[in-house]
Amino acid sequence: MIKYQIYKKYRLPITINPLNYGKLMLHLAEINFYIIYINSTNLAFITKFDLYNEIKFYTKGDLIFEFKDHKIDDTSFVRSIENNKYTFKNNKLIEVNKIIDSFKIKM
């Protein structure tokens, strides 16, 4: 069962696997690009690389934000959204870092 992170009222799947985001609509294997239908209003455009994914999150056809998921190991990854970094391990949030004016604040 996929758990979710709530970010700006949107439910983001806590996973680095594009296929766990929702229903696969399109996969271009030669460039590792996925379009995933998350729910009736949200889509994720995901480009998968060896150690990270670039995700563009759309709602009702509008780009809301972009983020990256950086793989640490098979059970951990760091999600970078805007000036925030979230570390997940075994599908649980374990650390939040906020970057403000080049200062790093650990919460």
Side-chain angles (χ1 to χ4, degrees):
M1 175 177 267
I2 297 295
K3 295 184 179 183
Y4 295 89
Q5 171 191 15
I6 305 299
Y7 184 79
K8 291 187 175 182
K9 81 175 182 164
Y10 299 102
R11 289 172 30 124
L12 306 177
I14 299 173
T15 181
I16 195 141
N17 182 347
L19 298 176
N20 289 340
Y21 268 70
K23 183 178 179 181
L24 177 64
M25 295 182 65
L26 176 69
H27 178 222
L28 301 175
E30 60 276 2
I31 59 171
N32 268 337
F33 178 77
Y34 301 79
I35 297 177
I36 307 291
Y37 178 83
I38 298 173
N39 59 35
S40 62
T41 58
N42 299 326
L43 293 173
F45 287 24
I46 303 170
T47 306
K48 184 171 177 51
F49 298 93
D50 289 337
L51 297 176
Y52 68 95
N53 296 340
E54 292 179 345
I55 300 98
K56 293 183 179 184
F57 188 86
Y58 290 83
T59 191
K60 297 181 182 176
D62 294 322
L63 177 63
I64 303 301
F65 48 80
E66 300 178 42
F67 59 96
K68 286 186 180 180
D69 287 343
H70 301 268
K71 184 177 180 178
I72 298 170
D73 58 38
D74 289 339
T75 62
S76 307
F77 71 95
V78 174
R79 177 166 287 161
S80 302
I81 308 176
E82 297 171 339
N83 289 329
N84 304 301
K85 290 189 179 197
Y86 304 90
T87 303
F88 296 94
K89 184 170 183 72
N90 296 320
N91 299 322
K92 293 182 182 177
L93 179 64
I94 60 168
E95 184 177 57
V96 177
N97 292 314
K98 294 188 181 260
I99 300 170
I100 302 172
D101 294 328
S102 74
F103 292 102
K104 184 176 177 182
I105 299 173
K106 202 173 198 179
M107 299 184 78

